[in-house]
Amino acid sequence: DAGVTQSPTHLIKTRGQQVTLRCSPKSGHDTVSWYQQALGQGPQFIFQYYEEEERQRGNFPDRFSGHQFPNYSSELNVNALLLGDSALYLCATGGGGGIQYFGAGTRLSVL
Amino acid sequence: QKEVEQDPGPLSVPEGAIVSLNCTYSNSAFQYFMWYRQYSRKGPELLMYTYSSGNKEDGRFTAQVDKSSKYISLFIRDSQPSDSATYLCAMETGANSKLTFGKGITLSVRP
């Protein structure tokens, strides 16, 4: 049983560019959440998708957007990248059991 | 005041020591409590998941929740060098909802 998979593992972008990160959920999971983890901090909630709709959103600007596909996989898009967007981006998926599992993350560096 | 406060670190202990990690919270709506372990440059790994006041034990790990005091703890018995990692407490108001994390504490277990 594959766990939560994220791609790519590492990205380097320059200010102003756009980036797309991808997440495949654990088998049987239909809820996908995205988190941003800055160095030395706990993860911060960006948003959550369920049934292809954004169900909850954290305190992040509209530059952060997402999508969930019919197979429950998800994408996180960030436009107009800023230096402060450099972080580890984590995907967490959950199912009927209520427990959320995390992927290994995508490390984004903005230069 | 942050919703979740975690004791600051870092923490360094000798092998075999008992470790106590603590978090306090202010939001009475939190119903589910988790401890995640995160190794360097990896995603958080779920260690313990509880939803009621009291103790829950799993091997060398014990999670304690006191809802009346809004306080949770994780105890690690007979600590091992492999326990060296960052420990994050997390909470949610409902199953599969937004997780609110503490800042995390870095533990180092010396051989």
Side-chain angles (χ1 to χ4, degrees):
Chain A
D1 173 28
V4 181
T5 58
Q6 292 188 244
S7 62
T9 56
H10 191 192
L11 268 179
I12 300 174
K13 293 285 187 179
T14 56
R15 280 178 296 175
Q17 285 189 311
Q18 178 264 345
V19 69
T20 298
L21 311 181
R22 296 176 177 82
C23 173
S24 292
K26 184 177 170 65
S27 178
H29 285 187
D30 54 8
T31 302
V32 178
S33 301
W34 288 92
Y35 293 81
Q36 180 195 67
Q37 186 177 24
L39 200 61
Q41 302 294 319
Q44 297 293 311
F45 177 77
I46 302 174
F47 44 53
Q48 183 182 81
Y49 278 84
Y50 173 70
E51 293 188 342
E52 302 180 52
E53 296 288 330
E54 184 182 287
R55 181 159 72 173
Q56 275 187 290
R57 188 178 183 91
N59 189 24
F60 278 81
D62 292 344
R63 298 187 297 110
F64 290 77
S65 64
H67 188 78
Q68 185 178 33
F69 298 94
N71 66 354
Y72 307 124
S73 67
S74 177
E75 288 182 348
L76 164 65
N77 300 293
V78 188
N79 295 322
L81 284 167
L82 304 173
L83 294 178
D85 294 332
S86 295
L88 180 67
Y89 288 84
L90 295 161
C91 167
T93 73
I99 294 175
Q100 298 185 53
Y101 295 91
F102 283 82
T106 293
R107 185 162 299 278
L108 174 64
S109 300
V110 182
L111 306 178
Chain B
Q1 182 189 8
K2 289 190 174 182
E3 281 190 290
V4 179
E5 299 276 3
Q6 188 165 358
D7 284 352
L11 183 62
S12 180
V13 301
E15 184 174 353
I18 297 174
V19 176
S20 172
L21 307 175
N22 307 297
C23 288
T24 58
Y25 62 96
S26 57
N27 186 351
S28 299
F30 287 137
Q31 296 296 321
Y32 300 87
F33 305 91
M34 286 133 277
W35 286 95
Y36 285 87
R37 177 174 63 194
Q38 187 175 27
Y39 292 111
S40 181
R41 296 181 172 270
K42 301 292 184 185
E45 169 196 10
L46 182 68
L47 279 177
M48 301 290 282
Y49 179 85
T50 59
Y51 52 85
S52 58
S53 284
N55 293 348
K56 180 178 180 180
E57 189 173 318
D58 184 0
R60 297 185 294 111
F61 298 90
T62 299
Q64 184 176 81
V65 174
D66 183 345
K67 287 187 177 180
S68 62
S69 301
K70 297 190 180 66
Y71 188 92
I72 71 170
S73 298
L74 178 71
F75 299 96
I76 306 174
R77 291 184 299 280
D78 186 25
S79 56
Q80 302 295 309
S82 59
D83 294 328
S84 298
T86 296
Y87 289 80
L88 297 155
C89 63
M91 309 178 188
E92 60 183 356
T93 57
N96 281 334
S97 67
K98 157 192 166 183
L99 293 172
T100 302
F101 283 86
K103 187 177 178 180
I105 184 170
T106 299
L107 170 67
S108 175
V109 181
R110 308 185 302 271

Short mmCIF file of all heavy atoms in Angstrom, two decimals, chain B residues 35-78:
data_model
loop_
_atom_site.label_atom_id
_atom_site.label_comp_id
_atom_site.label_asym_id
_atom_site.label_seq_id
_atom_site.Cartn_x
_atom_site.Cartn_y
_atom_site.Cartn_z
N TRP B 35 0.60 13.55 18.15
CA TRP B 35 2.04 13.80 18.19
C TRP B 35 2.64 13.23 16.92
O TRP B 35 2.38 12.07 16.57
CB TRP B 35 2.69 13.17 19.41
CG TRP B 35 2.39 13.90 20.68
CD1 TRP B 35 1.39 13.63 21.57
CD2 TRP B 35 3.09 15.04 21.19
NE1 TRP B 35 1.43 14.54 22.60
CE2 TRP B 35 2.46 15.41 22.40
CE3 TRP B 35 4.20 15.78 20.75
CZ2 TRP B 35 2.90 16.49 23.17
CZ3 TRP B 35 4.63 16.85 21.52
CH2 TRP B 35 3.99 17.19 22.71
N TYR B 36 3.41 14.07 16.24
CA TYR B 36 4.12 13.65 15.04
C TYR B 36 5.63 13.75 15.31
O TYR B 36 6.09 14.62 16.03
CB TYR B 36 3.78 14.56 13.85
CG TYR B 36 2.42 14.34 13.24
CD1 TYR B 36 1.30 15.00 13.74
CD2 TYR B 36 2.25 13.49 12.15
CE1 TYR B 36 0.04 14.81 13.15
CE2 TYR B 36 1.01 13.29 11.56
CZ TYR B 36 -0.09 13.96 12.07
OH TYR B 36 -1.33 13.77 11.50
N ARG B 37 6.36 12.85 14.67
CA ARG B 37 7.83 12.89 14.72
C ARG B 37 8.31 13.24 13.32
O ARG B 37 7.82 12.68 12.33
CB ARG B 37 8.38 11.53 15.15
CG ARG B 37 9.88 11.42 15.18
CD ARG B 37 10.31 10.08 15.76
NE ARG B 37 9.85 8.96 14.94
CZ ARG B 37 9.85 7.69 15.34
NH1 ARG B 37 10.28 7.38 16.56
NH2 ARG B 37 9.42 6.73 14.54
N GLN B 38 9.28 14.13 13.24
CA GLN B 38 9.79 14.57 11.95
C GLN B 38 11.31 14.51 11.95
O GLN B 38 11.96 15.24 12.70
CB GLN B 38 9.30 15.98 11.62
CG GLN B 38 9.66 16.44 10.22
CD GLN B 38 9.05 17.80 9.87
OE1 GLN B 38 8.78 18.61 10.73
NE2 GLN B 38 8.80 18.02 8.58
N TYR B 39 11.85 13.65 11.11
CA TYR B 39 13.29 13.62 10.92
C TYR B 39 13.68 14.71 9.93
O TYR B 39 12.85 15.17 9.13
CB TYR B 39 13.73 12.25 10.42
CG TYR B 39 13.56 11.14 11.44
CD1 TYR B 39 12.61 10.15 11.27
CD2 TYR B 39 14.35 11.11 12.59
CE1 TYR B 39 12.45 9.14 12.21
CE2 TYR B 39 14.20 10.11 13.53
CZ TYR B 39 13.25 9.12 13.33
OH TYR B 39 13.08 8.13 14.26
N SER B 40 14.95 15.08 9.96
CA SER B 40 15.43 16.19 9.15
C SER B 40 15.08 16.00 7.68
O SER B 40 15.34 14.95 7.11
CB SER B 40 16.94 16.33 9.34
OG SER B 40 17.43 17.39 8.59
N ARG B 41 14.46 17.01 7.10
CA ARG B 41 14.12 17.03 5.67
C ARG B 41 13.13 15.94 5.26
O ARG B 41 13.11 15.51 4.11
CB ARG B 41 15.39 16.97 4.81
CG ARG B 41 16.28 18.19 5.00
CD ARG B 41 17.52 18.14 4.15
NE ARG B 41 18.23 19.41 4.22
CZ ARG B 41 18.03 20.43 3.41
NH1 ARG B 41 17.15 20.33 2.44
NH2 ARG B 41 18.70 21.55 3.54
N LYS B 42 12.33 15.48 6.22
CA LYS B 42 11.31 14.49 5.93
C LYS B 42 9.94 15.02 6.34
O LYS B 42 9.84 16.04 7.02
CB LYS B 42 11.59 13.18 6.69
CG LYS B 42 12.92 12.55 6.37
CD LYS B 42 12.98 12.03 4.95
CE LYS B 42 14.29 11.31 4.69
NZ LYS B 42 14.42 10.90 3.27
N GLY B 43 8.88 14.33 5.93
CA GLY B 43 7.54 14.70 6.36
C GLY B 43 7.25 14.20 7.76
O GLY B 43 7.89 13.26 8.25
N PRO B 44 6.29 14.80 8.45
CA PRO B 44 5.91 14.34 9.80
C PRO B 44 5.31 12.93 9.75
O PRO B 44 4.53 12.61 8.85
CB PRO B 44 4.86 15.37 10.23
CG PRO B 44 5.09 16.57 9.36
CD PRO B 44 5.57 16.03 8.07
N GLU B 45 5.69 12.13 10.76
CA GLU B 45 5.21 10.76 10.89
C GLU B 45 4.34 10.67 12.14
O GLU B 45 4.77 11.07 13.23
CB GLU B 45 6.42 9.84 11.00
CG GLU B 45 6.14 8.41 11.38
CD GLU B 45 7.40 7.69 11.85
OE1 GLU B 45 8.44 8.35 12.05
OE2 GLU B 45 7.34 6.47 12.04
N LEU B 46 3.13 10.17 12.01
CA LEU B 46 2.22 10.10 13.15
C LEU B 46 2.73 9.10 14.18
O LEU B 46 3.00 7.94 13.87
CB LEU B 46 0.82 9.70 12.68
CG LEU B 46 -0.23 9.63 13.78
CD1 LEU B 46 -0.53 11.02 14.33
CD2 LEU B 46 -1.51 8.98 13.27
N LEU B 47 2.83 9.57 15.44
CA LEU B 47 3.23 8.70 16.55
C LEU B 47 2.03 8.28 17.40
O LEU B 47 1.88 7.12 17.75
CB LEU B 47 4.22 9.43 17.46
CG LEU B 47 5.68 9.50 17.06
CD1 LEU B 47 6.45 10.33 18.07
CD2 LEU B 47 6.27 8.09 16.97
N MET B 48 1.24 9.27 17.78
CA MET B 48 0.13 9.00 18.70
C MET B 48 -1.08 9.84 18.29
O MET B 48 -0.93 10.97 17.83
CB MET B 48 0.50 9.37 20.14
CG MET B 48 1.69 8.62 20.68
SD MET B 48 1.36 6.88 20.96
CE MET B 48 0.45 6.95 22.50
N TYR B 49 -2.28 9.28 18.47
CA TYR B 49 -3.54 9.95 18.13
C TYR B 49 -4.52 9.66 19.25
O TYR B 49 -4.81 8.50 19.53
CB TYR B 49 -4.05 9.41 16.79
CG TYR B 49 -5.36 9.98 16.32
CD1 TYR B 49 -5.39 11.17 15.61
CD2 TYR B 49 -6.55 9.30 16.53
CE1 TYR B 49 -6.59 11.69 15.14
CE2 TYR B 49 -7.75 9.81 16.07
CZ TYR B 49 -7.77 11.00 15.37
OH TYR B 49 -8.95 11.51 14.90
N THR B 50 -5.01 10.70 19.90
CA THR B 50 -5.95 10.51 21.00
C THR B 50 -7.11 11.50 20.88
O THR B 50 -6.97 12.56 20.25
CB THR B 50 -5.26 10.71 22.37
OG1 THR B 50 -4.72 12.05 22.41
CG2 THR B 50 -4.14 9.73 22.58
N TYR B 51 -8.23 11.16 21.50
CA TYR B 51 -9.39 12.06 21.43
C TYR B 51 -10.11 12.17 22.76
O TYR B 51 -11.20 12.70 22.83
CB TYR B 51 -10.37 11.61 20.34
CG TYR B 51 -10.77 10.17 20.43
CD1 TYR B 51 -11.80 9.75 21.25
CD2 TYR B 51 -10.11 9.20 19.69
CE1 TYR B 51 -12.17 8.43 21.34
CE2 TYR B 51 -10.45 7.87 19.78
CZ TYR B 51 -11.49 7.49 20.59
OH TYR B 51 -11.82 6.18 20.67
N SER B 52 -9.51 11.71 23.82
CA SER B 52 -10.15 11.86 25.12
C SER B 52 -9.09 12.15 26.17
O SER B 52 -7.90 11.86 25.96
CB SER B 52 -10.92 10.60 25.49
OG SER B 52 -10.05 9.49 25.51
N SER B 53 -9.51 12.72 27.26
CA SER B 53 -8.57 12.96 28.36
C SER B 53 -8.11 11.62 28.93
O SER B 53 -8.85 10.64 28.92
CB SER B 53 -9.25 13.78 29.46
OG SER B 53 -9.36 15.11 29.10
N GLY B 54 -6.87 11.60 29.40
CA GLY B 54 -6.32 10.38 29.95
C GLY B 54 -5.04 10.01 29.25
O GLY B 54 -4.44 10.82 28.54
N ASN B 55 -4.60 8.80 29.48
CA ASN B 55 -3.33 8.31 28.93
C ASN B 55 -3.56 7.27 27.85
O ASN B 55 -4.50 6.47 27.92
CB ASN B 55 -2.47 7.69 30.03
CG ASN B 55 -2.01 8.71 31.05
OD1 ASN B 55 -2.13 9.91 30.84
ND2 ASN B 55 -1.49 8.24 32.17
N LYS B 56 -2.67 7.26 26.86
CA LYS B 56 -2.66 6.23 25.83
C LYS B 56 -1.22 5.79 25.64
O LYS B 56 -0.34 6.62 25.44
CB LYS B 56 -3.22 6.75 24.51
CG LYS B 56 -3.23 5.73 23.39
CD LYS B 56 -3.84 6.30 22.14
CE LYS B 56 -3.85 5.29 21.01
NZ LYS B 56 -4.46 5.85 19.78
N GLU B 57 -1.01 4.49 25.72
CA GLU B 57 0.35 3.96 25.67
C GLU B 57 0.55 3.14 24.40
O GLU B 57 -0.33 2.39 23.96
CB GLU B 57 0.60 3.08 26.90
CG GLU B 57 2.03 2.64 27.07
CD GLU B 57 2.24 1.92 28.40
OE1 GLU B 57 1.69 2.38 29.42
OE2 GLU B 57 2.93 0.88 28.41
N ASP B 58 1.75 3.29 23.80
CA ASP B 58 2.12 2.49 22.64
C ASP B 58 3.62 2.24 22.72
O ASP B 58 4.41 3.11 22.37
CB ASP B 58 1.76 3.23 21.35
CG ASP B 58 2.04 2.39 20.10
OD1 ASP B 58 2.50 1.24 20.24
OD2 ASP B 58 1.79 2.89 18.99
N GLY B 59 3.97 1.07 23.21
CA GLY B 59 5.39 0.74 23.36
C GLY B 59 6.07 1.67 24.35
O GLY B 59 5.62 1.83 25.48
N ARG B 60 7.11 2.34 23.92
CA ARG B 60 7.86 3.25 24.81
C ARG B 60 7.21 4.63 24.89
O ARG B 60 7.70 5.49 25.62
CB ARG B 60 9.29 3.38 24.31
CG ARG B 60 10.09 2.08 24.34
CD ARG B 60 11.55 2.32 23.95
NE ARG B 60 11.70 2.74 22.57
CZ ARG B 60 12.08 3.94 22.18
NH1 ARG B 60 12.36 4.88 23.08
NH2 ARG B 60 12.20 4.23 20.89
N PHE B 61 6.14 4.84 24.16
CA PHE B 61 5.52 6.16 24.08
C PHE B 61 4.19 6.18 24.85
O PHE B 61 3.39 5.26 24.75
CB PHE B 61 5.26 6.55 22.62
CG PHE B 61 6.51 6.66 21.80
CD1 PHE B 61 7.00 5.56 21.11
CD2 PHE B 61 7.20 7.86 21.70
CE1 PHE B 61 8.16 5.65 20.35
CE2 PHE B 61 8.35 7.97 20.94
CZ PHE B 61 8.83 6.86 20.26
N THR B 62 3.97 7.26 25.61
CA THR B 62 2.70 7.49 26.30
C THR B 62 2.25 8.91 26.00
O THR B 62 3.00 9.86 26.21
CB THR B 62 2.84 7.31 27.81
OG1 THR B 62 3.25 5.97 28.10
CG2 THR B 62 1.51 7.58 28.51
N ALA B 63 1.02 9.03 25.50
CA ALA B 63 0.43 10.34 25.27
C ALA B 63 -0.56 10.62 26.39
O ALA B 63 -1.33 9.75 26.79
CB ALA B 63 -0.27 10.39 23.92
N GLN B 64 -0.52 11.83 26.90
CA GLN B 64 -1.40 12.23 28.00
C GLN B 64 -2.15 13.48 27.58
O GLN B 64 -1.57 14.42 27.05
CB GLN B 64 -0.55 12.51 29.25
CG GLN B 64 -1.34 12.83 30.50
CD GLN B 64 -0.39 12.99 31.68
OE1 GLN B 64 0.22 14.06 31.85
NE2 GLN B 64 -0.25 11.96 32.47
N VAL B 65 -3.47 13.48 27.82
CA VAL B 65 -4.31 14.64 27.49
C VAL B 65 -5.09 15.06 28.73
O VAL B 65 -5.70 14.23 29.39
CB VAL B 65 -5.30 14.31 26.35
CG1 VAL B 65 -6.27 15.46 26.12
CG2 VAL B 65 -4.56 13.98 25.07
N ASP B 66 -5.05 16.34 29.03
CA ASP B 66 -5.84 16.91 30.12
C ASP B 66 -6.64 18.06 29.53
O ASP B 66 -6.16 19.18 29.43
CB ASP B 66 -4.91 17.39 31.24
CG ASP B 66 -5.69 17.93 32.43
OD1 ASP B 66 -6.90 18.20 32.30
OD2 ASP B 66 -5.09 18.09 33.51
N LYS B 67 -7.88 17.77 29.15
CA LYS B 67 -8.70 18.80 28.49
C LYS B 67 -9.08 19.91 29.44
O LYS B 67 -9.26 21.06 29.03
CB LYS B 67 -9.95 18.16 27.89
CG LYS B 67 -9.68 17.33 26.64
CD LYS B 67 -11.00 16.89 26.01
CE LYS B 67 -10.76 16.11 24.73
NZ LYS B 67 -12.03 15.68 24.11
N SER B 68 -9.24 19.60 30.71
CA SER B 68 -9.63 20.65 31.66
C SER B 68 -8.54 21.70 31.81
O SER B 68 -8.82 22.88 32.00
CB SER B 68 -9.97 20.03 33.02
OG SER B 68 -8.84 19.39 33.57
N SER B 69 -7.28 21.27 31.70
CA SER B 69 -6.16 22.21 31.80
C SER B 69 -5.64 22.63 30.43
O SER B 69 -4.71 23.44 30.36
CB SER B 69 -5.01 21.58 32.60
OG SER B 69 -5.44 21.23 33.89
N LYS B 70 -6.20 22.07 29.38
CA LYS B 70 -5.77 22.34 28.00
C LYS B 70 -4.27 22.08 27.87
O LYS B 70 -3.48 22.96 27.48
CB LYS B 70 -6.13 23.78 27.60
CG LYS B 70 -7.62 24.07 27.59
CD LYS B 70 -7.89 25.42 26.95
CE LYS B 70 -9.36 25.76 26.92
NZ LYS B 70 -9.94 25.93 28.26
N TYR B 71 -3.91 20.84 28.15
CA TYR B 71 -2.50 20.49 28.25
C TYR B 71 -2.33 19.07 27.73
O TYR B 71 -3.10 18.17 28.08
CB TYR B 71 -2.12 20.56 29.73
CG TYR B 71 -0.67 20.40 30.07
CD1 TYR B 71 0.15 21.52 30.18
CD2 TYR B 71 -0.12 19.16 30.33
CE1 TYR B 71 1.48 21.40 30.52
CE2 TYR B 71 1.22 19.02 30.68
CZ TYR B 71 2.01 20.16 30.78
OH TYR B 71 3.33 20.03 31.12
N ILE B 72 -1.33 18.86 26.83
CA ILE B 72 -1.03 17.50 26.39
C ILE B 72 0.46 17.25 26.54
O ILE B 72 1.27 18.19 26.48
CB ILE B 72 -1.49 17.23 24.94
CG1 ILE B 72 -0.63 17.98 23.91
CG2 ILE B 72 -2.97 17.58 24.76
CD1 ILE B 72 -0.91 17.54 22.48
N SER B 73 0.80 15.99 26.72
CA SER B 73 2.19 15.60 26.91
C SER B 73 2.49 14.32 26.15
O SER B 73 1.58 13.51 25.90
CB SER B 73 2.51 15.37 28.39
OG SER B 73 2.32 16.54 29.15
N LEU B 74 3.75 14.15 25.80
CA LEU B 74 4.25 12.90 25.24
C LEU B 74 5.44 12.49 26.08
O LEU B 74 6.37 13.28 26.28
CB LEU B 74 4.67 13.06 23.79
CG LEU B 74 5.26 11.81 23.14
CD1 LEU B 74 4.17 10.76 22.92
CD2 LEU B 74 5.94 12.13 21.80
N PHE B 75 5.39 11.25 26.59
CA PHE B 75 6.51 10.71 27.36
C PHE B 75 7.18 9.62 26.53
O PHE B 75 6.50 8.78 25.93
CB PHE B 75 6.02 10.13 28.69
CG PHE B 75 5.36 11.15 29.58
CD1 PHE B 75 3.98 11.29 29.58
CD2 PHE B 75 6.12 11.97 30.40
CE1 PHE B 75 3.38 12.23 30.39
CE2 PHE B 75 5.52 12.92 31.21
CZ PHE B 75 4.15 13.05 31.20
N ILE B 76 8.50 9.65 26.52
CA ILE B 76 9.28 8.63 25.84
C ILE B 76 10.14 7.94 26.90
O ILE B 76 10.96 8.59 27.56
CB ILE B 76 10.18 9.22 24.75
CG1 ILE B 76 9.37 10.07 23.77
CG2 ILE B 76 10.91 8.10 23.99
CD1 ILE B 76 10.23 10.81 22.74
N ARG B 77 9.93 6.65 27.08
CA ARG B 77 10.73 5.90 28.05
C ARG B 77 11.93 5.27 27.34
O ARG B 77 11.88 4.99 26.13
CB ARG B 77 9.88 4.78 28.68
CG ARG B 77 8.79 5.27 29.60
CD ARG B 77 8.07 4.08 30.24
NE ARG B 77 7.43 3.24 29.23
CZ ARG B 77 6.26 3.53 28.67
NH1 ARG B 77 5.63 4.64 29.00
NH2 ARG B 77 5.74 2.72 27.78
N ASP B 78 12.99 5.04 28.11
CA ASP B 78 14.19 4.37 27.58
C ASP B 78 14.57 4.96 26.22
O ASP B 78 14.64 4.27 25.20
CB ASP B 78 13.91 2.87 27.45
CG ASP B 78 15.15 2.08 27.06
OD1 ASP B 78 16.27 2.55 27.35
OD2 ASP B 78 15.00 0.99 26.45
#
